[in-house]
mmCIF file of all heavy atoms in Angstrom:
data_model
loop_
_atom_site.group_PDB
_atom_site.id
_atom_site.type_symbol
_atom_site.label_atom_id
_atom_site.label_comp_id
_atom_site.label_asym_id
_atom_site.label_seq_id
_atom_site.Cartn_x
_atom_site.Cartn_y
_atom_site.Cartn_z
ATOM 1 N N PRO A 197 11.750 -19.977 -17.445
ATOM 2 C CA PRO A 197 10.636 -20.075 -16.502
ATOM 3 C C PRO A 197 10.456 -18.795 -15.694
ATOM 4 O O PRO A 197 11.431 -18.149 -15.298
ATOM 5 C CB PRO A 197 11.045 -21.252 -15.597
ATOM 6 C CG PRO A 197 12.091 -21.993 -16.356
ATOM 7 C CD PRO A 197 12.809 -20.960 -17.163
ATOM 8 N N ALA A 198 9.204 -18.454 -15.423
ATOM 9 C CA ALA A 198 8.894 -17.273 -14.615
ATOM 10 C C ALA A 198 7.498 -17.443 -14.025
ATOM 11 O O ALA A 198 6.703 -18.259 -14.511
ATOM 12 C CB ALA A 198 8.975 -16.003 -15.455
ATOM 13 N N ASP A 199 7.211 -16.670 -13.003
ATOM 14 C CA ASP A 199 5.830 -16.616 -12.520
ATOM 15 C C ASP A 199 5.355 -15.167 -12.450
ATOM 16 O O ASP A 199 4.247 -14.891 -11.990
ATOM 17 C CB ASP A 199 5.676 -17.309 -11.160
ATOM 18 C CG ASP A 199 6.334 -16.541 -10.031
ATOM 19 O OD1 ASP A 199 7.315 -15.810 -10.300
ATOM 20 O OD2 ASP A 199 5.870 -16.676 -8.884
ATOM 21 N N GLY A 200 6.184 -14.249 -12.946
ATOM 22 C CA GLY A 200 5.809 -12.849 -12.998
ATOM 23 C C GLY A 200 6.961 -12.031 -13.538
ATOM 24 O O GLY A 200 8.115 -12.484 -13.541
ATOM 25 N N PHE A 201 6.653 -10.835 -14.038
ATOM 26 C CA PHE A 201 7.720 -9.925 -14.457
ATOM 27 C C PHE A 201 7.341 -8.508 -14.073
ATOM 28 O O PHE A 201 6.181 -8.223 -13.746
ATOM 29 C CB PHE A 201 8.006 -10.037 -15.963
ATOM 30 C CG PHE A 201 6.855 -9.673 -16.876
ATOM 31 C CD1 PHE A 201 6.755 -8.383 -17.415
ATOM 32 C CD2 PHE A 201 5.881 -10.607 -17.220
ATOM 33 C CE1 PHE A 201 5.709 -8.051 -18.267
ATOM 34 C CE2 PHE A 201 4.837 -10.277 -18.066
ATOM 35 C CZ PHE A 201 4.747 -8.999 -18.597
ATOM 36 N N PHE A 202 8.336 -7.635 -14.076
ATOM 37 C CA PHE A 202 8.145 -6.265 -13.585
ATOM 38 C C PHE A 202 8.319 -5.252 -14.706
ATOM 39 O O PHE A 202 9.209 -5.398 -15.545
ATOM 40 C CB PHE A 202 9.154 -5.961 -12.476
ATOM 41 C CG PHE A 202 9.060 -6.869 -11.277
ATOM 42 C CD1 PHE A 202 9.860 -8.000 -11.186
ATOM 43 C CD2 PHE A 202 8.164 -6.614 -10.255
ATOM 44 C CE1 PHE A 202 9.788 -8.841 -10.092
ATOM 45 C CE2 PHE A 202 8.074 -7.445 -9.147
ATOM 46 C CZ PHE A 202 8.898 -8.567 -9.070
ATOM 47 N N GLU A 203 7.469 -4.243 -14.697
ATOM 48 C CA GLU A 203 7.623 -3.097 -15.579
ATOM 49 C C GLU A 203 7.363 -1.831 -14.765
ATOM 50 O O GLU A 203 6.659 -1.871 -13.763
ATOM 51 C CB GLU A 203 6.649 -3.161 -16.769
ATOM 52 C CG GLU A 203 6.823 -4.368 -17.663
ATOM 53 C CD GLU A 203 8.136 -4.379 -18.439
ATOM 54 O OE1 GLU A 203 8.945 -3.433 -18.275
ATOM 55 O OE2 GLU A 203 8.374 -5.346 -19.182
ATOM 56 N N TRP A 204 7.936 -0.724 -15.217
ATOM 57 C CA TRP A 204 7.829 0.548 -14.497
ATOM 58 C C TRP A 204 6.942 1.533 -15.252
ATOM 59 O O TRP A 204 7.203 1.847 -16.416
ATOM 60 C CB TRP A 204 9.216 1.142 -14.293
ATOM 61 C CG TRP A 204 9.985 0.533 -13.165
ATOM 62 C CD1 TRP A 204 10.270 1.110 -11.980
ATOM 63 C CD2 TRP A 204 10.595 -0.770 -13.121
ATOM 64 N NE1 TRP A 204 11.006 0.255 -11.179
ATOM 65 C CE2 TRP A 204 11.217 -0.903 -11.854
ATOM 66 C CE3 TRP A 204 10.670 -1.826 -14.020
ATOM 67 C CZ2 TRP A 204 11.916 -2.045 -11.476
ATOM 68 C CZ3 TRP A 204 11.341 -2.975 -13.650
ATOM 69 C CH2 TRP A 204 11.954 -3.086 -12.390
ATOM 70 N N LYS A 205 5.911 2.018 -14.595
ATOM 71 C CA LYS A 205 4.998 2.983 -15.206
ATOM 72 C C LYS A 205 5.413 4.400 -14.830
ATOM 73 O O LYS A 205 5.628 4.721 -13.659
ATOM 74 C CB LYS A 205 3.569 2.725 -14.725
ATOM 75 C CG LYS A 205 2.539 3.655 -15.351
ATOM 76 C CD LYS A 205 1.133 3.290 -14.898
ATOM 77 C CE LYS A 205 0.094 4.183 -15.579
ATOM 78 N NZ LYS A 205 -1.284 3.808 -15.180
ATOM 79 N N VAL A 206 5.524 5.247 -15.839
ATOM 80 C CA VAL A 206 5.878 6.651 -15.604
ATOM 81 C C VAL A 206 4.642 7.402 -15.127
ATOM 82 O O VAL A 206 3.598 7.384 -15.797
ATOM 83 C CB VAL A 206 6.434 7.287 -16.890
ATOM 84 C CG1 VAL A 206 6.737 8.774 -16.649
ATOM 85 C CG2 VAL A 206 7.691 6.563 -17.348
ATOM 86 N N THR A 207 4.752 8.062 -13.977
ATOM 87 C CA THR A 207 3.650 8.848 -13.432
ATOM 88 C C THR A 207 4.178 10.225 -13.017
ATOM 89 O O THR A 207 5.375 10.488 -13.054
ATOM 90 C CB THR A 207 3.030 8.168 -12.184
ATOM 91 O OG1 THR A 207 3.938 8.303 -11.074
ATOM 92 C CG2 THR A 207 2.751 6.699 -12.440
ATOM 93 N N ASP A 208 3.263 11.076 -12.620
ATOM 94 C CA ASP A 208 3.658 12.420 -12.152
ATOM 95 C C ASP A 208 4.468 12.356 -10.870
ATOM 96 O O ASP A 208 5.140 13.322 -10.501
ATOM 97 C CB ASP A 208 2.409 13.279 -11.914
ATOM 98 C CG ASP A 208 1.666 13.576 -13.200
ATOM 99 O OD1 ASP A 208 2.298 13.515 -14.270
ATOM 100 O OD2 ASP A 208 0.451 13.871 -13.143
ATOM 101 N N HIS A 209 4.422 11.218 -10.203
ATOM 102 C CA HIS A 209 5.130 11.061 -8.930
ATOM 103 C C HIS A 209 6.357 10.159 -9.078
ATOM 104 O O HIS A 209 6.888 9.647 -8.100
ATOM 105 C CB HIS A 209 4.183 10.484 -7.872
ATOM 106 C CG HIS A 209 2.933 11.287 -7.685
ATOM 107 N ND1 HIS A 209 2.931 12.506 -7.056
ATOM 108 C CD2 HIS A 209 1.653 11.036 -8.080
ATOM 109 C CE1 HIS A 209 1.680 12.987 -7.051
ATOM 110 N NE2 HIS A 209 0.901 12.109 -7.662
ATOM 111 N N GLY A 210 6.799 9.949 -10.311
ATOM 112 C CA GLY A 210 7.949 9.098 -10.551
ATOM 113 C C GLY A 210 7.539 7.762 -11.159
ATOM 114 O O GLY A 210 6.355 7.547 -11.491
ATOM 115 N N LYS A 211 8.498 6.867 -11.311
ATOM 116 C CA LYS A 211 8.231 5.570 -11.916
ATOM 117 C C LYS A 211 7.764 4.575 -10.862
ATOM 118 O O LYS A 211 8.421 4.379 -9.847
ATOM 119 C CB LYS A 211 9.487 5.039 -12.614
ATOM 120 C CG LYS A 211 9.877 5.884 -13.825
ATOM 121 C CD LYS A 211 11.058 5.301 -14.546
ATOM 122 C CE LYS A 211 11.387 6.142 -15.775
ATOM 123 N NZ LYS A 211 12.549 5.609 -16.519
ATOM 124 N N VAL A 212 6.609 3.975 -11.138
ATOM 125 C CA VAL A 212 6.000 3.036 -10.190
ATOM 126 C C VAL A 212 6.137 1.611 -10.735
ATOM 127 O O VAL A 212 5.607 1.296 -11.802
ATOM 128 C CB VAL A 212 4.508 3.356 -9.973
ATOM 129 C CG1 VAL A 212 3.891 2.347 -9.011
ATOM 130 C CG2 VAL A 212 4.349 4.780 -9.453
ATOM 131 N N PRO A 213 6.844 0.740 -10.026
ATOM 132 C CA PRO A 213 6.997 -0.634 -10.506
ATOM 133 C C PRO A 213 5.693 -1.424 -10.374
ATOM 134 O O PRO A 213 4.947 -1.266 -9.408
ATOM 135 C CB PRO A 213 8.077 -1.221 -9.599
ATOM 136 C CG PRO A 213 8.028 -0.400 -8.357
ATOM 137 C CD PRO A 213 7.600 0.975 -8.786
ATOM 138 N N HIS A 214 5.412 -2.238 -11.383
ATOM 139 C CA HIS A 214 4.249 -3.125 -11.380
ATOM 140 C C HIS A 214 4.710 -4.555 -11.643
ATOM 141 O O HIS A 214 5.691 -4.779 -12.360
ATOM 142 C CB HIS A 214 3.253 -2.732 -12.474
ATOM 143 C CG HIS A 214 2.475 -1.494 -12.172
ATOM 144 N ND1 HIS A 214 3.063 -0.239 -12.108
ATOM 145 C CD2 HIS A 214 1.148 -1.300 -11.937
ATOM 146 C CE1 HIS A 214 2.132 0.662 -11.831
ATOM 147 N NE2 HIS A 214 0.975 0.055 -11.730
ATOM 148 N N ARG A 215 4.012 -5.484 -11.060
ATOM 149 C CA ARG A 215 4.276 -6.898 -11.325
ATOM 150 C C ARG A 215 3.140 -7.451 -12.154
ATOM 151 O O ARG A 215 1.953 -7.215 -11.861
ATOM 152 C CB ARG A 215 4.408 -7.695 -10.018
ATOM 153 C CG ARG A 215 4.796 -9.164 -10.220
ATOM 154 C CD ARG A 215 5.171 -9.813 -8.896
ATOM 155 N NE ARG A 215 5.630 -11.167 -9.070
ATOM 156 C CZ ARG A 215 4.948 -12.264 -8.715
ATOM 157 N NH1 ARG A 215 3.757 -12.138 -8.134
ATOM 158 N NH2 ARG A 215 5.433 -13.464 -8.905
ATOM 159 N N ILE A 216 3.481 -8.198 -13.200
ATOM 160 C CA ILE A 216 2.495 -8.797 -14.098
ATOM 161 C C ILE A 216 2.599 -10.309 -13.986
ATOM 162 O O ILE A 216 3.694 -10.879 -14.094
ATOM 163 C CB ILE A 216 2.732 -8.341 -15.562
ATOM 164 C CG1 ILE A 216 2.590 -6.807 -15.678
ATOM 165 C CG2 ILE A 216 1.738 -9.007 -16.479
ATOM 166 C CD1 ILE A 216 3.862 -6.049 -15.628
ATOM 167 N N THR A 217 1.466 -10.963 -13.756
ATOM 168 C CA THR A 217 1.431 -12.417 -13.568
ATOM 169 C C THR A 217 0.254 -13.017 -14.319
ATOM 170 O O THR A 217 -0.555 -12.297 -14.919
ATOM 171 C CB THR A 217 1.263 -12.775 -12.081
ATOM 172 O OG1 THR A 217 -0.062 -12.406 -11.653
ATOM 173 C CG2 THR A 217 2.280 -12.062 -11.207
ATOM 174 N N MET A 218 0.143 -14.326 -14.269
ATOM 175 C CA MET A 218 -1.062 -14.993 -14.739
ATOM 176 C C MET A 218 -2.131 -14.906 -13.658
ATOM 177 O O MET A 218 -1.818 -14.897 -12.455
ATOM 178 C CB MET A 218 -0.776 -16.460 -15.060
ATOM 179 C CG MET A 218 0.172 -16.657 -16.226
ATOM 180 S SD MET A 218 -0.493 -15.999 -17.764
ATOM 181 C CE MET A 218 1.018 -15.757 -18.693
ATOM 182 N N LYS A 219 -3.381 -14.850 -14.053
ATOM 183 C CA LYS A 219 -4.472 -14.769 -13.084
ATOM 184 C C LYS A 219 -4.497 -15.989 -12.177
ATOM 185 O O LYS A 219 -4.878 -15.877 -11.000
ATOM 186 C CB LYS A 219 -5.806 -14.619 -13.806
ATOM 187 C CG LYS A 219 -6.026 -13.242 -14.403
ATOM 188 C CD LYS A 219 -7.378 -13.138 -15.078
ATOM 189 C CE LYS A 219 -7.634 -11.740 -15.624
ATOM 190 N NZ LYS A 219 -8.942 -11.646 -16.335
ATOM 191 N N ASP A 220 -4.093 -17.151 -12.696
ATOM 192 C CA ASP A 220 -4.110 -18.361 -11.864
ATOM 193 C C ASP A 220 -2.853 -18.512 -11.021
ATOM 194 O O ASP A 220 -2.725 -19.450 -10.236
ATOM 195 C CB ASP A 220 -4.338 -19.612 -12.729
ATOM 196 C CG ASP A 220 -3.211 -19.894 -13.714
ATOM 197 O OD1 ASP A 220 -2.173 -19.197 -13.670
ATOM 198 O OD2 ASP A 220 -3.367 -20.819 -14.540
ATOM 199 N N GLY A 221 -1.888 -17.588 -11.190
ATOM 200 C CA GLY A 221 -0.679 -17.607 -10.377
ATOM 201 C C GLY A 221 0.344 -18.666 -10.744
ATOM 202 O O GLY A 221 1.367 -18.794 -10.071
ATOM 203 N N ASP A 222 0.093 -19.428 -11.802
ATOM 204 C CA ASP A 222 1.000 -20.539 -12.136
ATOM 205 C C ASP A 222 2.226 -20.034 -12.898
ATOM 206 O O ASP A 222 2.268 -18.902 -13.380
ATOM 207 C CB ASP A 222 0.253 -21.578 -12.976
ATOM 208 C CG ASP A 222 0.875 -22.962 -12.854
ATOM 209 O OD1 ASP A 222 1.939 -23.109 -12.204
ATOM 210 O OD2 ASP A 222 0.315 -23.920 -13.425
ATOM 211 N N LEU A 223 3.189 -20.911 -12.999
ATOM 212 C CA LEU A 223 4.388 -20.622 -13.765
ATOM 213 C C LEU A 223 4.099 -20.598 -15.254
ATOM 214 O O LEU A 223 3.160 -21.248 -15.737
ATOM 215 C CB LEU A 223 5.459 -21.663 -13.468
ATOM 216 C CG LEU A 223 6.185 -21.492 -12.138
ATOM 217 C CD1 LEU A 223 6.469 -22.832 -11.505
ATOM 218 C CD2 LEU A 223 7.476 -20.717 -12.332
ATOM 219 N N PHE A 224 4.934 -19.869 -15.988
ATOM 220 C CA PHE A 224 4.845 -19.816 -17.446
ATOM 221 C C PHE A 224 6.272 -19.687 -17.959
ATOM 222 O O PHE A 224 7.232 -19.829 -17.203
ATOM 223 C CB PHE A 224 3.965 -18.645 -17.894
ATOM 224 C CG PHE A 224 4.358 -17.321 -17.322
ATOM 225 C CD1 PHE A 224 5.288 -16.507 -17.957
ATOM 226 C CD2 PHE A 224 3.793 -16.860 -16.135
ATOM 227 C CE1 PHE A 224 5.666 -15.287 -17.441
ATOM 228 C CE2 PHE A 224 4.153 -15.629 -15.607
ATOM 229 C CZ PHE A 224 5.091 -14.833 -16.258
ATOM 230 N N SER A 225 6.443 -19.428 -19.244
ATOM 231 C CA SER A 225 7.799 -19.288 -19.748
ATOM 232 C C SER A 225 7.889 -18.174 -20.779
ATOM 233 O O SER A 225 6.966 -17.931 -21.552
ATOM 234 C CB SER A 225 8.294 -20.595 -20.380
ATOM 235 O OG SER A 225 7.559 -20.908 -21.540
ATOM 236 N N PHE A 226 9.052 -17.492 -20.785
ATOM 237 C CA PHE A 226 9.388 -16.544 -21.826
ATOM 238 C C PHE A 226 10.100 -17.297 -22.944
ATOM 239 O O PHE A 226 10.802 -18.286 -22.689
ATOM 240 C CB PHE A 226 10.343 -15.468 -21.313
ATOM 241 C CG PHE A 226 9.867 -14.704 -20.121
ATOM 242 C CD1 PHE A 226 10.704 -14.519 -19.026
ATOM 243 C CD2 PHE A 226 8.596 -14.148 -20.077
ATOM 244 C CE1 PHE A 226 10.295 -13.791 -17.917
ATOM 245 C CE2 PHE A 226 8.165 -13.419 -18.974
ATOM 246 C CZ PHE A 226 9.020 -13.244 -17.891
ATOM 247 N N ALA A 227 9.969 -16.805 -24.163
ATOM 248 C CA ALA A 227 10.767 -17.317 -25.263
ATOM 249 C C ALA A 227 12.150 -16.697 -25.178
ATOM 250 O O ALA A 227 12.294 -15.482 -25.070
ATOM 251 C CB ALA A 227 10.120 -16.953 -26.604
ATOM 252 N N GLY A 228 13.172 -17.541 -25.193
ATOM 253 C CA GLY A 228 14.538 -17.041 -25.068
ATOM 254 C C GLY A 228 15.465 -17.633 -26.113
ATOM 255 O O GLY A 228 15.147 -18.615 -26.785
ATOM 256 N N LEU A 229 16.615 -17.006 -26.254
ATOM 257 C CA LEU A 229 17.701 -17.487 -27.087
ATOM 258 C C LEU A 229 18.938 -17.634 -26.214
ATOM 259 O O LEU A 229 19.131 -16.845 -25.284
ATOM 260 C CB LEU A 229 17.987 -16.506 -28.239
ATOM 261 C CG LEU A 229 16.834 -16.221 -29.189
ATOM 262 C CD1 LEU A 229 17.231 -15.099 -30.150
ATOM 263 C CD2 LEU A 229 16.441 -17.462 -29.975
ATOM 264 N N TRP A 230 19.769 -18.617 -26.503
ATOM 265 C CA TRP A 230 20.955 -18.833 -25.698
ATOM 266 C C TRP A 230 22.182 -19.023 -26.592
ATOM 267 O O TRP A 230 22.052 -19.291 -27.798
ATOM 268 C CB TRP A 230 20.786 -20.019 -24.761
ATOM 269 C CG TRP A 230 20.649 -21.358 -25.421
ATOM 270 C CD1 TRP A 230 19.527 -21.887 -26.019
ATOM 271 C CD2 TRP A 230 21.670 -22.348 -25.571
ATOM 272 N NE1 TRP A 230 19.783 -23.138 -26.520
ATOM 273 C CE2 TRP A 230 21.096 -23.443 -26.256
ATOM 274 C CE3 TRP A 230 23.009 -22.427 -25.193
ATOM 275 C CZ2 TRP A 230 21.818 -24.600 -26.572
ATOM 276 C CZ3 TRP A 230 23.736 -23.566 -25.497
ATOM 277 C CH2 TRP A 230 23.124 -24.645 -26.176
ATOM 278 N N ASP A 231 23.334 -18.888 -25.999
ATOM 279 C CA ASP A 231 24.556 -19.140 -26.747
ATOM 280 C C ASP A 231 25.631 -19.642 -25.787
ATOM 281 O O ASP A 231 25.500 -19.533 -24.570
ATOM 282 C CB ASP A 231 25.039 -17.875 -27.472
ATOM 283 C CG ASP A 231 25.793 -18.206 -28.760
ATOM 284 O OD1 ASP A 231 26.145 -19.388 -28.967
ATOM 285 O OD2 ASP A 231 26.031 -17.281 -29.568
ATOM 286 N N GLU A 232 26.673 -20.193 -26.396
ATOM 287 C CA GLU A 232 27.777 -20.802 -25.658
ATOM 288 C C GLU A 232 29.066 -20.122 -26.086
ATOM 289 O O GLU A 232 29.391 -20.091 -27.267
ATOM 290 C CB GLU A 232 27.819 -22.296 -25.963
ATOM 291 C CG GLU A 232 28.868 -23.089 -25.220
ATOM 292 C CD GLU A 232 28.785 -24.566 -25.584
ATOM 293 O OE1 GLU A 232 28.034 -25.297 -24.942
ATOM 294 O OE2 GLU A 232 29.469 -24.968 -26.543
ATOM 295 N N TRP A 233 29.768 -19.552 -25.106
ATOM 296 C CA TRP A 233 31.032 -18.855 -25.409
ATOM 297 C C TRP A 233 32.197 -19.604 -24.763
ATOM 298 O O TRP A 233 32.142 -19.971 -23.605
ATOM 299 C CB TRP A 233 30.972 -17.420 -24.888
ATOM 300 C CG TRP A 233 32.183 -16.609 -25.226
ATOM 301 C CD1 TRP A 233 32.451 -15.977 -26.411
ATOM 302 C CD2 TRP A 233 33.308 -16.342 -24.383
ATOM 303 N NE1 TRP A 233 33.664 -15.324 -26.359
ATOM 304 C CE2 TRP A 233 34.218 -15.536 -25.121
ATOM 305 C CE3 TRP A 233 33.643 -16.708 -23.072
ATOM 306 C CZ2 TRP A 233 35.423 -15.095 -24.588
ATOM 307 C CZ3 TRP A 233 34.857 -16.269 -22.537
ATOM 308 C CH2 TRP A 233 35.730 -15.469 -23.296
ATOM 309 N N LEU A 234 33.239 -19.818 -25.561
ATOM 310 C CA LEU A 234 34.415 -20.550 -25.089
ATOM 311 C C LEU A 234 35.570 -19.586 -24.855
ATOM 312 O O LEU A 234 35.954 -18.833 -25.760
ATOM 313 C CB LEU A 234 34.832 -21.608 -26.114
ATOM 314 C CG LEU A 234 36.160 -22.332 -25.854
ATOM 315 C CD1 LEU A 234 36.080 -23.155 -24.576
ATOM 316 C CD2 LEU A 234 36.550 -23.190 -27.046
ATOM 317 N N ASP A 235 36.099 -19.602 -23.652
ATOM 318 C CA ASP A 235 37.310 -18.854 -23.339
ATOM 319 C C ASP A 235 38.494 -19.707 -23.784
ATOM 320 O O ASP A 235 38.836 -20.702 -23.134
ATOM 321 C CB ASP A 235 37.378 -18.569 -21.837
ATOM 322 C CG ASP A 235 38.540 -17.648 -21.474
ATOM 323 O OD1 ASP A 235 39.542 -17.623 -22.222
ATOM 324 O OD2 ASP A 235 38.442 -16.953 -20.445
ATOM 325 N N LYS A 236 39.113 -19.330 -24.902
ATOM 326 C CA LYS A 236 40.172 -20.145 -25.483
ATOM 327 C C LYS A 236 41.426 -20.194 -24.604
ATOM 328 O O LYS A 236 42.240 -21.116 -24.737
ATOM 329 C CB LYS A 236 40.513 -19.618 -26.877
ATOM 330 C CG LYS A 236 39.365 -19.756 -27.856
ATOM 331 C CD LYS A 236 39.742 -19.232 -29.229
ATOM 332 C CE LYS A 236 38.560 -19.368 -30.204
ATOM 333 N NZ LYS A 236 38.885 -18.825 -31.547
ATOM 334 N N SER A 237 41.570 -19.231 -23.725
ATOM 335 C CA SER A 237 42.765 -19.211 -22.880
ATOM 336 C C SER A 237 42.651 -20.156 -21.687
ATOM 337 O O SER A 237 43.663 -20.649 -21.181
ATOM 338 C CB SER A 237 43.037 -17.790 -22.373
ATOM 339 O OG SER A 237 41.977 -17.340 -21.547
ATOM 340 N N THR A 238 41.417 -20.424 -21.257
ATOM 341 C CA THR A 238 41.231 -21.267 -20.073
ATOM 342 C C THR A 238 40.401 -22.527 -20.342
ATOM 343 O O THR A 238 40.413 -23.451 -19.534
ATOM 344 C CB THR A 238 40.522 -20.474 -18.955
ATOM 345 O OG1 THR A 238 39.183 -20.147 -19.384
ATOM 346 C CG2 THR A 238 41.272 -19.190 -18.628
ATOM 347 N N GLY A 239 39.667 -22.533 -21.452
ATOM 348 C CA GLY A 239 38.794 -23.654 -21.747
ATOM 349 C C GLY A 239 37.426 -23.549 -21.077
ATOM 350 O O GLY A 239 36.574 -24.422 -21.227
ATOM 351 N N GLU A 240 37.208 -22.452 -20.332
ATOM 352 C CA GLU A 240 35.928 -22.256 -19.648
ATOM 353 C C GLU A 240 34.812 -21.970 -20.663
ATOM 354 O O GLU A 240 34.989 -21.221 -21.616
ATOM 355 C CB GLU A 240 36.016 -21.078 -18.674
ATOM 356 C CG GLU A 240 34.710 -20.794 -17.950
ATOM 357 C CD GLU A 240 34.760 -19.527 -17.115
ATOM 358 O OE1 GLU A 240 35.723 -18.734 -17.280
ATOM 359 O OE2 GLU A 240 33.825 -19.312 -16.320
ATOM 360 N N ILE A 241 33.661 -22.589 -20.440
ATOM 361 C CA ILE A 241 32.489 -22.346 -21.279
ATOM 362 C C ILE A 241 31.478 -21.521 -20.490
ATOM 363 O O ILE A 241 31.135 -21.863 -19.355
ATOM 364 C CB ILE A 241 31.850 -23.667 -21.736
ATOM 365 C CG1 ILE A 241 32.802 -24.412 -22.678
ATOM 366 C CG2 ILE A 241 30.512 -23.406 -22.421
ATOM 367 C CD1 ILE A 241 32.293 -25.783 -23.095
ATOM 368 N N ILE A 242 31.021 -20.433 -21.076
ATOM 369 C CA ILE A 242 30.024 -19.575 -20.446
ATOM 370 C C ILE A 242 28.733 -19.642 -21.258
ATOM 371 O O ILE A 242 28.728 -19.321 -22.447
ATOM 372 C CB ILE A 242 30.503 -18.107 -20.362
ATOM 373 C CG1 ILE A 242 31.783 -18.029 -19.514
ATOM 374 C CG2 ILE A 242 29.416 -17.215 -19.780
ATOM 375 C CD1 ILE A 242 32.382 -16.631 -19.445
ATOM 376 N N ASN A 243 27.653 -20.083 -20.622
ATOM 377 C CA ASN A 243 26.339 -20.143 -21.270
ATOM 378 C C ASN A 243 25.497 -18.941 -20.833
ATOM 379 O O ASN A 243 25.390 -18.659 -19.649
ATOM 380 C CB ASN A 243 25.616 -21.446 -20.890
ATOM 381 C CG ASN A 243 26.271 -22.660 -21.503
ATOM 382 O OD1 ASN A 243 26.473 -22.733 -22.697
ATOM 383 N ND2 ASN A 243 26.624 -23.629 -20.668
#
C-alpha cells in the first residue's frame, strides 16, 4: 500500500526530490514479492 512515492530529478542545481501521487489522492498499491527466512539457530522467522 502507498499513497505516493518519491523520485529524484537531476538538475543543474543538484538532485530535486519529487513526489508522485494519484490525482484523486487516494491510496493505491505497488506489485511486490515477499519471502520468509528462518533463522535455524533461534527459530526466528523474518518476512
Side-chain angles (χ1 to χ4, degrees):
D199 71 332
F201 62 96
F202 301 94
E203 299 293 0
W204 280 252
K205 182 177 182 178
V206 177
T207 73
D208 294 337
H209 305 288
K211 294 183 177 180
V212 179
H214 286 67
R215 185 169 184 252
I216 298 97
T217 69
M218 294 298 158
K219 286 181 178 178
D220 64 7
D222 205 355
L223 283 143
F224 53 88
S225 66
F226 304 132
L229 300 173
W230 66 281
D231 210 348
E232 183 179 272
W233 184 81
L234 172 65
D235 187 333
K236 295 180 180 178
S237 64
T238 65
E240 179 187 12
I241 293 176
I242 299 177
N243 290 307

